[in-house]
Amino acid sequence: MKTIIEPFRIKSVEPINFNTREERIYLLGKADYNPFLIHSEDVLIDLLTDSGTSAMSSAQWAGIMRGDESYAGSPSYFRFRDAVQAITGMPDVIPTHQGRASEKILFSILGGKGKYFISNTLFDTTRANIEFSGAEGIDLLCEEGKHPSVPAPFKGNMDVPALRKFITDHGAENIPLVIITVTNNSGGGQPVSMANIKAVRKVCSEFCIPLFIDACRFAENSWFIKLREEGYAHKTPREIAKELFSYADGCTMSAKKDAFANIGGFLAMRDENLALKCRNLLVITEGFPTYGGLAGRDLEAIAIGLEEVLEESYLQYRIRSIEYLTNKLIDAGVPVMQPAGGHAVYLDARAFLPHIPVDQYPGQVLVGALYVEGGVRGVEIGSLMFGKYDEDHKLIPATLELVRLAIPRRVYTQSHIDYVAEVIIEVFNKRDTYSGLRIIEESAFLRHFTVKMVPVM
Ligand SMILES: *Cc1c(COP(=O)(O)O)cnc(C)c1O
Protein backbone atom coordinates (compact mmCIF):
# COMPACT_ATOMS: atom_id res chain seq x y z
CA MET A 1 0.00 0.00 0.00
CA LYS A 2 1.26 3.50 -0.87
CA THR A 3 1.77 6.34 1.66
CA ILE A 4 -1.49 7.95 2.71
CA ILE A 5 -0.89 11.57 1.69
CA GLU A 6 -2.40 14.76 3.09
CA PRO A 7 -5.59 15.10 1.00
CA PHE A 8 -5.01 18.80 0.32
CA ARG A 9 -2.51 21.26 -1.14
CA ILE A 10 -1.31 24.32 0.80
CA LYS A 11 -2.38 27.72 -0.52
CA SER A 12 -1.52 29.98 2.41
CA VAL A 13 1.17 29.49 5.06
CA GLU A 14 2.00 30.79 8.54
CA PRO A 15 5.68 31.03 9.58
CA ILE A 16 6.95 29.24 12.71
CA ASN A 17 9.21 31.27 15.03
CA PHE A 18 12.28 29.37 16.13
CA ASN A 19 13.83 29.82 19.57
CA THR A 20 16.56 28.09 21.59
CA ARG A 21 16.43 25.62 24.46
CA GLU A 22 17.84 28.29 26.82
CA GLU A 23 15.14 30.75 25.79
CA ARG A 24 12.48 28.10 26.37
CA ILE A 25 13.76 27.30 29.88
CA TYR A 26 13.33 31.00 30.68
CA LEU A 27 9.91 31.22 28.98
CA LEU A 28 8.56 28.16 30.84
CA GLY A 29 9.61 29.65 34.18
CA LYS A 30 8.03 32.96 33.26
CA ALA A 31 4.80 31.05 32.49
CA ASP A 32 4.87 29.48 35.99
CA TYR A 33 5.25 26.01 34.41
CA ASN A 34 1.77 26.30 32.94
CA PRO A 35 1.70 25.76 29.16
CA PHE A 36 -1.53 27.78 28.89
CA LEU A 37 0.47 30.85 29.96
CA ILE A 38 3.15 30.51 27.26
CA HIS A 39 2.68 32.89 24.31
CA SER A 40 1.89 30.87 21.20
CA GLU A 41 4.56 32.77 19.23
CA ASP A 42 7.10 31.07 21.51
CA VAL A 43 5.83 27.59 20.54
CA LEU A 44 7.24 25.69 17.53
CA ILE A 45 4.67 22.93 17.21
CA ASP A 46 1.47 23.68 19.08
CA LEU A 47 -0.34 20.53 20.14
CA LEU A 48 -2.13 22.16 23.07
CA THR A 49 -5.48 21.47 21.49
CA ASP A 50 -7.24 20.48 18.30
CA SER A 51 -9.97 22.96 19.25
CA GLY A 52 -10.47 25.93 16.95
CA THR A 53 -7.01 25.36 15.48
CA SER A 54 -8.06 23.65 12.23
CA ALA A 55 -7.03 24.99 8.85
CA MET A 56 -10.16 26.00 7.00
CA SER A 57 -10.59 25.02 3.37
CA SER A 58 -10.86 27.39 0.43
CA ALA A 59 -14.58 26.51 0.33
CA GLN A 60 -14.95 27.56 3.98
CA TRP A 61 -13.14 30.85 3.34
CA ALA A 62 -15.47 31.42 0.40
CA GLY A 63 -18.35 30.73 2.79
CA ILE A 64 -16.96 33.37 5.13
CA MET A 65 -17.41 35.94 2.35
CA ARG A 66 -20.92 34.68 1.61
CA GLY A 67 -21.95 34.95 5.28
CA ASP A 68 -25.09 37.04 5.69
CA GLU A 69 -24.99 39.16 8.83
CA SER A 70 -28.73 39.86 9.14
CA TYR A 71 -29.82 39.90 12.77
CA ALA A 72 -32.80 37.61 12.19
CA GLY A 73 -33.52 34.91 9.62
CA SER A 74 -30.16 34.99 7.82
CA PRO A 75 -29.80 32.47 4.97
CA SER A 76 -26.52 31.47 6.61
CA TYR A 77 -28.51 30.22 9.60
CA PHE A 78 -30.73 28.09 7.41
CA ARG A 79 -27.75 26.53 5.63
CA PHE A 80 -26.22 25.82 9.05
CA ARG A 81 -29.47 24.37 10.40
CA ASP A 82 -29.94 22.18 7.33
CA ALA A 83 -26.37 20.83 7.59
CA VAL A 84 -26.87 19.91 11.26
CA GLN A 85 -30.33 18.42 10.67
CA ALA A 86 -29.07 16.34 7.74
CA ILE A 87 -26.53 14.60 9.98
CA THR A 88 -28.30 14.49 13.35
CA GLY A 89 -31.92 14.19 12.24
CA MET A 90 -32.73 16.56 15.13
CA PRO A 91 -35.32 19.24 14.30
CA ASP A 92 -34.27 21.92 16.82
CA VAL A 93 -30.84 23.41 16.11
CA ILE A 94 -29.53 26.16 18.38
CA PRO A 95 -26.26 27.93 17.48
CA THR A 96 -23.91 28.87 20.32
CA HIS A 97 -20.48 30.49 20.39
CA GLN A 98 -18.80 27.24 21.44
CA GLY A 99 -19.46 23.87 23.05
CA ARG A 100 -19.41 25.05 26.64
CA ALA A 101 -22.07 27.68 25.91
CA SER A 102 -24.34 24.81 24.85
CA GLU A 103 -23.43 23.02 28.06
CA LYS A 104 -24.08 26.09 30.21
CA ILE A 105 -27.57 26.45 28.74
CA LEU A 106 -28.42 22.76 28.96
CA PHE A 107 -27.19 22.21 32.53
CA SER A 108 -28.64 25.48 33.83
CA ILE A 109 -32.03 24.08 32.80
CA LEU A 110 -31.58 20.41 33.74
CA GLY A 111 -28.99 20.59 36.54
CA GLY A 112 -29.14 21.58 40.19
CA LYS A 113 -28.48 20.10 43.59
CA GLY A 114 -29.22 16.40 44.03
CA LYS A 115 -29.04 15.66 40.28
CA TYR A 116 -26.59 13.28 38.60
CA PHE A 117 -25.35 13.35 35.02
CA ILE A 118 -23.85 10.05 33.91
CA SER A 119 -21.30 9.70 31.13
CA ASN A 120 -18.61 7.42 29.72
CA THR A 121 -16.29 10.31 30.61
CA LEU A 122 -17.30 13.95 30.94
CA PHE A 123 -14.99 16.47 29.32
CA ASP A 124 -13.60 19.12 31.71
CA THR A 125 -15.91 21.97 30.61
CA THR A 126 -18.91 19.63 30.70
CA ARG A 127 -18.08 18.49 34.21
CA ALA A 128 -17.46 22.09 35.31
CA ASN A 129 -20.83 23.25 33.98
CA ILE A 130 -22.59 20.32 35.68
CA GLU A 131 -20.88 21.04 39.00
CA PHE A 132 -21.47 24.78 38.67
CA SER A 133 -25.22 24.03 38.52
CA GLY A 134 -24.88 22.15 41.84
CA ALA A 135 -25.28 18.71 40.24
CA GLU A 136 -22.80 15.87 40.19
CA GLY A 137 -21.06 14.35 37.17
CA ILE A 138 -20.47 10.58 37.16
CA ASP A 139 -18.01 8.83 34.83
CA LEU A 140 -18.74 5.16 34.14
CA LEU A 141 -16.01 4.15 31.72
CA CYS A 142 -15.67 0.53 30.60
CA GLU A 143 -12.87 -1.50 32.19
CA GLU A 144 -10.72 -1.57 29.00
CA GLY A 145 -10.65 2.23 28.99
CA LYS A 146 -8.87 2.32 32.33
CA HIS A 147 -5.73 0.55 31.13
CA PRO A 148 -3.74 2.88 28.86
CA SER A 149 -1.30 0.31 27.52
CA VAL A 150 -3.78 -2.47 26.76
CA PRO A 151 -5.20 -2.19 23.23
CA ALA A 152 -8.92 -2.69 22.63
CA PRO A 153 -11.09 -1.46 19.75
CA PHE A 154 -13.61 0.65 21.70
CA LYS A 155 -12.00 1.91 24.89
CA GLY A 156 -14.40 4.86 25.05
CA ASN A 157 -17.41 2.65 25.79
CA MET A 158 -19.64 3.18 28.78
CA ASP A 159 -19.88 0.47 31.42
CA VAL A 160 -23.51 -0.51 30.82
CA PRO A 161 -24.02 -2.76 33.88
CA ALA A 162 -22.59 0.06 36.06
CA LEU A 163 -25.01 2.50 34.41
CA ARG A 164 -27.97 0.28 35.24
CA LYS A 165 -26.77 -0.15 38.81
CA PHE A 166 -26.22 3.58 39.31
CA ILE A 167 -29.72 4.38 38.05
CA THR A 168 -31.28 1.72 40.28
CA ASP A 169 -29.32 2.92 43.32
CA HIS A 170 -29.88 6.66 42.85
CA GLY A 171 -33.31 6.79 41.21
CA ALA A 172 -34.06 7.61 37.58
CA GLU A 173 -35.88 10.78 38.70
CA ASN A 174 -32.54 12.23 39.87
CA ILE A 175 -30.81 11.62 36.55
CA PRO A 176 -31.86 14.22 33.97
CA LEU A 177 -29.54 12.95 31.22
CA VAL A 178 -27.03 10.34 30.22
CA ILE A 179 -24.26 11.76 28.02
CA ILE A 180 -21.98 9.79 25.71
CA THR A 181 -18.86 11.64 24.65
CA VAL A 182 -17.67 10.63 21.14
CA THR A 183 -14.81 10.12 20.88
CA ASN A 184 -13.92 10.05 24.54
CA ASN A 185 -11.62 13.09 24.73
CA SER A 186 -10.51 12.85 28.37
CA GLY A 187 -10.25 9.06 28.14
CA GLY A 188 -7.71 9.19 25.33
CA GLY A 189 -9.72 10.08 22.20
CA GLN A 190 -10.94 6.50 22.19
CA PRO A 191 -14.06 5.63 20.21
CA VAL A 192 -17.42 4.35 21.39
CA SER A 193 -18.97 1.46 19.47
CA MET A 194 -22.41 1.59 17.90
CA ALA A 195 -23.30 -1.50 19.93
CA ASN A 196 -22.45 0.36 23.14
CA ILE A 197 -24.51 3.41 22.13
CA LYS A 198 -27.44 1.10 21.36
CA ALA A 199 -27.06 -0.69 24.70
CA VAL A 200 -26.99 2.63 26.58
CA ARG A 201 -30.02 3.78 24.60
CA LYS A 202 -31.88 0.66 25.68
CA VAL A 203 -31.18 1.29 29.38
CA CYS A 204 -32.11 4.97 29.02
CA SER A 205 -35.42 4.07 27.35
CA GLU A 206 -36.20 1.54 30.07
CA PHE A 207 -35.83 4.23 32.76
CA CYS A 208 -37.18 7.13 30.61
CA ILE A 209 -33.90 9.06 30.79
CA PRO A 210 -32.95 11.07 27.69
CA LEU A 211 -29.64 10.30 26.00
CA PHE A 212 -27.44 13.12 24.70
CA ILE A 213 -24.27 12.86 22.64
CA ASP A 214 -21.31 15.15 23.28
CA ALA A 215 -20.67 15.11 19.56
CA CYS A 216 -17.43 17.11 19.22
CA ARG A 217 -15.66 14.29 17.33
CA PHE A 218 -18.62 12.46 15.80
CA ALA A 219 -16.88 12.06 12.41
CA GLU A 220 -13.69 10.58 13.87
CA ASN A 221 -15.80 8.20 15.96
CA SER A 222 -17.80 7.21 12.88
CA TRP A 223 -14.58 6.37 11.02
CA PHE A 224 -13.45 4.09 13.85
CA ILE A 225 -16.81 2.32 13.74
CA LYS A 226 -16.32 1.80 9.99
CA LEU A 227 -12.83 0.38 10.55
CA ARG A 228 -13.42 -1.69 13.65
CA GLU A 229 -17.04 -2.68 14.12
CA GLU A 230 -18.58 -5.59 12.31
CA GLY A 231 -21.23 -4.66 9.77
CA TYR A 232 -20.04 -1.11 9.09
CA ALA A 233 -17.14 -1.55 6.64
CA HIS A 234 -19.33 -0.90 3.59
CA LYS A 235 -21.16 2.11 5.08
CA THR A 236 -20.16 5.73 4.50
CA PRO A 237 -19.09 7.89 7.44
CA ARG A 238 -22.26 9.94 6.90
CA GLU A 239 -24.49 6.86 7.14
CA ILE A 240 -22.70 5.79 10.30
CA ALA A 241 -22.95 9.28 11.84
CA LYS A 242 -26.67 9.41 11.06
CA GLU A 243 -27.23 6.06 12.73
CA LEU A 244 -25.22 7.16 15.76
CA PHE A 245 -27.36 10.28 16.22
CA SER A 246 -30.56 8.31 15.61
CA TYR A 247 -30.20 6.73 19.06
CA ALA A 248 -29.91 10.10 20.84
CA ASP A 249 -32.46 12.64 22.03
CA GLY A 250 -30.06 15.53 21.63
CA CYS A 251 -26.47 16.60 21.34
CA THR A 252 -24.01 19.30 22.28
CA MET A 253 -21.32 20.19 19.80
CA SER A 254 -18.18 22.25 19.62
CA ALA A 255 -17.74 23.21 15.96
CA LYS A 256 -14.11 23.95 16.84
CA LYS A 257 -13.45 20.21 16.53
CA ASP A 258 -15.15 18.13 13.81
CA ALA A 259 -16.47 21.11 11.85
CA PHE A 260 -13.07 22.72 11.12
CA ALA A 261 -14.32 26.08 12.43
CA ASN A 262 -12.24 28.47 14.51
CA ILE A 263 -15.22 29.23 16.74
CA GLY A 264 -18.76 27.93 17.14
CA GLY A 265 -20.98 25.22 18.48
CA PHE A 266 -24.56 24.13 18.77
CA LEU A 267 -27.22 22.33 20.71
CA ALA A 268 -29.61 20.09 18.81
CA MET A 269 -32.52 18.07 20.17
CA ARG A 270 -35.82 16.36 19.51
CA ASP A 271 -37.80 17.67 22.52
CA GLU A 272 -39.59 20.88 21.50
CA ASN A 273 -40.29 21.96 25.07
CA LEU A 274 -36.68 21.62 26.14
CA ALA A 275 -35.62 23.49 22.99
CA LEU A 276 -37.96 26.35 23.90
CA LYS A 277 -36.38 26.62 27.36
CA CYS A 278 -32.92 26.54 25.80
CA ARG A 279 -33.81 29.31 23.34
CA ASN A 280 -35.19 31.44 26.17
CA LEU A 281 -31.84 31.21 27.92
CA LEU A 282 -29.98 31.61 24.61
CA VAL A 283 -31.43 35.07 23.95
CA ILE A 284 -30.17 36.23 27.36
CA THR A 285 -26.70 34.71 27.20
CA GLU A 286 -25.80 34.24 23.52
CA GLY A 287 -28.11 35.99 21.06
CA PHE A 288 -31.17 35.73 18.87
CA PRO A 289 -32.01 32.09 17.95
CA THR A 290 -30.91 32.38 14.30
CA TYR A 291 -27.36 33.41 15.16
CA GLY A 292 -26.82 32.41 18.81
CA GLY A 293 -23.32 33.48 19.70
CA LEU A 294 -22.04 33.57 16.12
CA ALA A 295 -21.62 35.78 13.10
CA GLY A 296 -23.35 34.69 9.90
CA ARG A 297 -19.95 33.97 8.38
CA ASP A 298 -19.18 31.46 11.17
CA LEU A 299 -22.46 29.66 10.51
CA GLU A 300 -21.40 29.26 6.86
CA ALA A 301 -17.95 27.95 7.80
CA ILE A 302 -19.54 25.37 10.13
CA ALA A 303 -22.12 24.24 7.57
CA ILE A 304 -19.36 23.63 5.00
CA GLY A 305 -17.02 22.06 7.58
CA LEU A 306 -19.66 19.53 8.59
CA GLU A 307 -19.76 18.32 4.97
CA GLU A 308 -15.98 18.17 4.55
CA VAL A 309 -15.30 16.33 7.80
CA LEU A 310 -17.25 13.31 6.60
CA GLU A 311 -15.15 12.85 3.43
CA GLU A 312 -13.44 9.46 3.45
CA SER A 313 -10.08 10.72 2.13
CA TYR A 314 -9.94 13.22 4.99
CA LEU A 315 -10.89 10.76 7.73
CA GLN A 316 -8.49 8.13 6.43
CA TYR A 317 -5.61 10.66 6.50
CA ARG A 318 -6.70 12.08 9.85
CA ILE A 319 -6.87 8.82 11.76
CA ARG A 320 -3.75 7.46 10.03
CA SER A 321 -1.65 10.49 11.01
CA ILE A 322 -2.40 9.94 14.71
CA GLU A 323 -1.65 6.25 14.36
CA TYR A 324 1.64 7.07 12.56
CA LEU A 325 2.94 9.12 15.49
CA THR A 326 1.66 6.62 18.06
CA ASN A 327 3.41 3.72 16.30
CA LYS A 328 6.72 5.59 16.10
CA LEU A 329 6.57 6.09 19.87
CA ILE A 330 5.60 2.49 20.56
CA ASP A 331 8.58 1.34 18.47
CA ALA A 332 10.86 3.51 20.66
CA GLY A 333 9.42 2.02 23.85
CA VAL A 334 7.62 5.22 24.95
CA PRO A 335 4.53 4.46 27.08
CA VAL A 336 1.51 5.67 25.12
CA MET A 337 -2.19 5.04 25.21
CA GLN A 338 -3.01 2.14 22.90
CA PRO A 339 -4.37 1.89 20.35
CA ALA A 340 -4.09 5.39 18.83
CA GLY A 341 -7.09 7.65 19.44
CA GLY A 342 -8.78 9.90 16.93
CA HIS A 343 -7.36 13.36 17.53
CA ALA A 344 -4.37 13.07 19.80
CA VAL A 345 -1.51 10.99 21.07
CA TYR A 346 -1.64 10.39 24.81
CA LEU A 347 1.56 9.75 26.71
CA ASP A 348 1.20 7.77 29.92
CA ALA A 349 3.04 10.12 32.27
CA ARG A 350 2.88 7.78 35.26
CA ALA A 351 4.80 5.11 33.33
CA PHE A 352 7.01 7.70 31.59
CA LEU A 353 8.16 9.35 34.86
CA PRO A 354 7.64 6.65 37.52
CA HIS A 355 9.99 8.41 39.95
CA ILE A 356 7.69 11.46 40.24
CA PRO A 357 4.79 10.97 42.70
CA VAL A 358 1.27 11.88 41.46
CA ASP A 359 1.03 14.81 43.90
CA GLN A 360 4.03 16.31 42.09
CA TYR A 361 2.12 16.15 38.80
CA PRO A 362 4.24 13.96 36.47
CA GLY A 363 2.04 14.93 33.52
CA GLN A 364 2.78 18.61 33.96
CA VAL A 365 6.49 17.84 34.35
CA LEU A 366 6.42 15.99 31.04
CA VAL A 367 4.60 18.87 29.34
CA GLY A 368 7.36 21.23 30.51
CA ALA A 369 10.12 18.88 29.30
CA LEU A 370 8.61 18.60 25.79
CA TYR A 371 8.47 22.37 25.58
CA VAL A 372 12.03 22.91 26.75
CA GLU A 373 13.57 20.19 24.56
CA GLY A 374 11.69 20.92 21.35
CA GLY A 375 9.24 23.79 21.66
CA VAL A 376 6.37 21.30 21.49
CA ARG A 377 3.33 22.28 23.57
CA GLY A 378 1.00 19.61 24.94
CA VAL A 379 -1.40 19.53 27.87
CA GLU A 380 -1.68 17.53 31.07
CA ILE A 381 -4.84 15.43 31.38
CA GLY A 382 -4.44 13.98 34.80
CA SER A 383 -4.49 15.03 38.42
CA LEU A 384 -3.90 18.70 37.66
CA MET A 385 -6.97 18.79 35.42
CA PHE A 386 -9.18 16.36 37.34
CA GLY A 387 -7.66 15.93 40.80
CA LYS A 388 -9.67 16.86 43.88
CA TYR A 389 -8.74 17.39 47.53
CA ASP A 390 -9.99 15.48 50.57
CA GLU A 391 -10.81 17.25 53.89
CA ASP A 392 -7.10 17.33 54.83
CA HIS A 393 -6.24 19.01 51.51
CA LYS A 394 -4.57 15.83 50.33
CA LEU A 395 -4.76 15.21 46.58
CA ILE A 396 -7.28 12.63 45.37
CA PRO A 397 -5.58 11.78 42.07
CA ALA A 398 -7.26 11.24 38.71
CA THR A 399 -7.57 7.69 37.33
CA LEU A 400 -4.91 8.33 34.68
CA GLU A 401 -1.94 10.69 34.38
CA LEU A 402 -1.84 11.49 30.69
CA VAL A 403 -0.21 14.11 28.49
CA ARG A 404 -2.25 14.89 25.44
CA LEU A 405 -0.64 15.95 22.19
CA ALA A 406 -3.64 17.03 20.17
CA ILE A 407 -3.13 17.27 16.44
CA PRO A 408 -4.83 20.27 14.81
CA ARG A 409 -6.83 19.29 11.72
CA ARG A 410 -5.13 19.81 8.33
CA VAL A 411 -2.37 22.00 9.88
CA TYR A 412 0.88 20.04 10.25
CA THR A 413 2.65 17.86 7.69
CA GLN A 414 4.40 14.53 8.11
CA SER A 415 7.81 16.17 8.78
CA HIS A 416 6.31 18.17 11.65
CA ILE A 417 5.02 14.92 13.09
CA ASP A 418 8.43 13.25 12.62
CA TYR A 419 10.03 16.12 14.53
CA VAL A 420 7.53 15.73 17.39
CA ALA A 421 8.41 12.03 17.64
CA GLU A 422 12.11 12.91 17.84
CA VAL A 423 11.50 15.38 20.66
CA ILE A 424 9.42 12.91 22.68
CA ILE A 425 12.03 10.19 22.27
CA GLU A 426 14.79 12.59 23.36
CA VAL A 427 12.85 13.46 26.53
CA PHE A 428 12.20 9.77 27.13
CA ASN A 429 15.90 8.95 26.91
CA LYS A 430 16.72 11.45 29.67
CA ARG A 431 13.57 10.93 31.74
CA ASP A 432 15.49 10.31 34.99
CA THR A 433 16.75 13.91 35.01
CA TYR A 434 13.33 15.54 35.59
CA SER A 435 11.83 16.41 38.97
CA GLY A 436 8.33 17.26 40.26
CA LEU A 437 6.22 20.41 40.51
CA ARG A 438 4.03 21.91 43.21
CA ILE A 439 1.14 24.37 43.04
CA ILE A 440 1.55 27.89 44.41
CA GLU A 441 -1.71 29.38 43.11
CA GLU A 442 -4.95 27.83 41.79
CA SER A 443 -8.65 28.54 41.18
CA ALA A 444 -11.69 26.47 42.15
CA PHE A 445 -12.89 25.59 38.61
CA LEU A 446 -10.77 24.46 35.64
CA ARG A 447 -7.64 25.19 37.64
CA HIS A 448 -5.27 23.89 34.96
CA PHE A 449 -5.94 26.97 32.81
CA THR A 450 -4.53 29.45 35.33
CA VAL A 451 -2.51 27.40 37.83
CA LYS A 452 0.93 28.62 38.84
CA MET A 453 3.59 26.07 39.79
CA VAL A 454 7.22 25.84 40.86
CA PRO A 455 9.72 22.96 40.77
CA VAL A 456 9.95 20.84 43.93
CA MET A 457 13.43 21.35 45.34
C1 LIG B 1 -13.94 20.87 23.39
C2 LIG B 1 -14.93 20.02 24.02
C3 LIG B 1 -16.03 20.56 24.69
C4 LIG B 1 -16.22 22.05 24.88
O1 LIG B 1 -16.25 22.78 23.69
P1 LIG B 1 -15.66 24.26 23.60
O2 LIG B 1 -15.99 24.67 22.20
O3 LIG B 1 -14.21 24.19 23.87
O4 LIG B 1 -16.38 25.10 24.60
C5 LIG B 1 -16.94 19.67 25.22
N1 LIG B 1 -16.78 18.35 25.13
C6 LIG B 1 -15.73 17.80 24.50
C7 LIG B 1 -15.61 16.31 24.42
C8 LIG B 1 -14.76 18.61 23.94
O5 LIG B 1 -13.72 18.04 23.33
Side-chain angles (χ1 to χ4, degrees):
M1 198 163 136
K2 295 198 182 66
T3 302
I4 296 167
I5 60 171
E6 286 86 357
F8 48 79
R9 296 181 299 184
I10 296 167
K11 180 167 353 202
S12 177
V13 299
E14 274 181 293
I16 290 173
N17 287 326
F18 289 89
N19 49 20
T20 65
R21 186 174 184 277
E22 283 61 43
E23 285 166 337
R24 291 192 294 266
I25 290 173
Y26 166 75
L27 290 164
L28 184 65
K30 209 175 95 181
D32 296 298
Y33 297 85
N34 179 349
F36 286 99
L37 304 180
I38 299 172
H39 294 196
S40 62
E41 283 186 333
D42 298 326
V43 175
L44 272 66
I45 306 281
D46 204 347
L47 308 182
L48 185 68
T49 177
D50 62 323
S51 177
T53 53
S54 300
M56 289 207 293
S57 66
S58 49
Q60 283 181 295
W61 283 109
I64 293 268
M65 282 308 297
R66 184 169 70 160
D68 180 305
E69 303 303 340
S70 304
Y71 192 92
S74 157
S76 299
Y77 168 72
F78 294 107
R79 276 191 283 271
F80 163 85
R81 183 202 62 184
D82 292 350
V84 176
Q85 283 178 345
I87 298 167
T88 64
M90 295 172 193
D92 281 293
V93 180
I94 300 170
T96 59
H97 79 274
Q98 58 184 87
R100 72 197 69 184
S102 306
E103 294 165 356
K104 178 77 172 80
I105 289 170
L106 189 64
F107 299 122
S108 298
I109 293 164
L110 298 177
K113 226 175 157 46
K115 299 276 197 320
Y116 301 96
F117 290 89
I118 311 173
S119 177
N120 48 344
T121 309
L122 295 162
F123 184 63
D124 58 352
T125 61
T126 322
R127 173 172 288 280
N129 273 300
I130 288 170
E131 291 176 359
F132 190 72
S133 83
E136 226 179 293
I138 308 292
D139 291 341
L140 300 176
L141 185 62
C142 67
E143 191 54 36
E144 305 94 276
K146 295 174 189 162
H147 305 280
S149 58
V150 184
F154 291 104
K155 296 173 76 169
N157 282 355
M158 188 181 272
D159 182 340
V160 179
L163 170 67
R164 179 181 289 283
K165 182 168 186 320
F166 191 94
I167 298 171
T168 319
D169 290 352
H170 293 80
E173 67 282 7
N174 299 316
I175 302 163
L177 280 187
V178 171
I179 303 146
I180 298 183
T181 311
V182 298
T183 57
N184 185 11
N185 186 353
S186 319
Q190 297 293 326
V192 181
S193 72
M194 198 73 89
N196 189 251
I197 294 169
K198 275 199 240 182
V200 171
R201 167 80 256 175
K202 199 156 163 278
V203 174
C204 287
S205 299
E206 200 181 305
F207 291 97
C208 294
I209 300 171
L211 172 64
F212 267 54
I213 305 283
D214 179 339
C216 296
R217 296 176 184 80
F218 75 96
E220 290 167 6
N221 202 95
S222 297
W223 187 253
F224 279 119
I225 289 174
K226 181 178 170 74
L227 292 184
R228 296 182 185 169
E229 193 161 353
E230 211 186 311
Y232 290 92
H234 64 286
K235 297 207 167 148
T236 65
R238 175 175 288 271
E239 286 168 336
I240 297 170
K242 282 171 78 166
E243 181 183 339
L244 188 157
F245 284 112
S246 76
Y247 302 119
D249 299 290
C251 68
T252 57
M253 173 75 184
S254 169
K256 300 170 74 174
K257 321 289 172 51
D258 268 359
F260 301 119
N262 300 124
I263 196 72
F266 57 82
L267 259 172
M269 60 195 74
R270 302 185 200 279
D271 178 345
E272 253 179 82
N273 292 324
L274 179 61
L276 184 65
K277 286 183 197 161
C278 290
R279 287 203 177 92
N280 287 341
L281 203 49
L282 183 84
V283 288
I284 302 171
T285 57
E286 293 281 297
F288 186 75
T290 62
Y291 71 85
L294 294 171
R297 63 180 81 101
D298 300 322
L299 295 168
E300 291 279 353
I302 295 167
I304 297 162
L306 287 172
E307 304 289 325
E308 292 178 353
V309 79
L310 288 167
E311 282 168 13
E312 299 213 1
S313 61
Y314 164 71
L315 284 168
Q316 182 188 38
Y317 139 80
R318 171 72 176 160
I319 300 306
R320 174 60 195 146
S321 62
I322 316 292
E323 185 185 53
Y324 174 79
L325 177 55
T326 304
N327 289 351
K328 278 199 156 206
L329 298 176
I330 292 171
D331 290 347
V334 176
V336 294
M337 186 108 176
Q338 292 191 50
H343 66 289
V345 173
Y346 290 75
L347 306 176
D348 181 352
R350 209 180 279 175
F352 200 114
L353 298 169
H355 61 288
I356 299 179
V358 284
D359 62 358
Q360 293 181 16
Y361 303 99
Q364 192 77 345
V365 173
L366 182 49
V367 166
L370 296 173
Y371 177 69
V372 166
E373 298 307 334
V376 175
R377 177 159 69 168
V379 66
E380 192 257 21
I381 305 222
S383 292
L384 188 64
M385 190 179 271
F386 291 118
K388 296 235 150 79
Y389 293 114
D390 66 14
E391 300 93 62
D392 305 324
H393 204 72
K394 208 167 122 29
L395 179 76
I396 308 168
T399 328
L400 300 172
E401 303 296 332
L402 301 174
V403 167
R404 185 186 73 182
L405 302 167
I407 313 294
R409 294 170 182 77
R410 307 192 292 207
V411 171
Y412 292 114
T413 64
Q414 188 168 340
S415 61
H416 290 119
I417 299 295
D418 285 333
Y419 170 82
V420 170
E422 288 163 18
V423 171
I424 296 167
I425 292 165
E426 188 184 343
V427 169
F428 186 61
N429 289 338
K430 50 194 270 200
R431 59 192 179 279
D432 298 339
T433 63
Y434 301 104
S435 54
L437 291 166
R438 70 184 168 85
I439 294 173
I440 52 170
E441 206 181 298
E442 64 183 303
S443 57
F445 289 99
L446 300 174
R447 64 174 177 168
H448 53 286
F449 286 144
T450 52
V451 70
K452 294 184 176 175
M453 307 184 87
V454 289
V456 174
M457 286 305 160

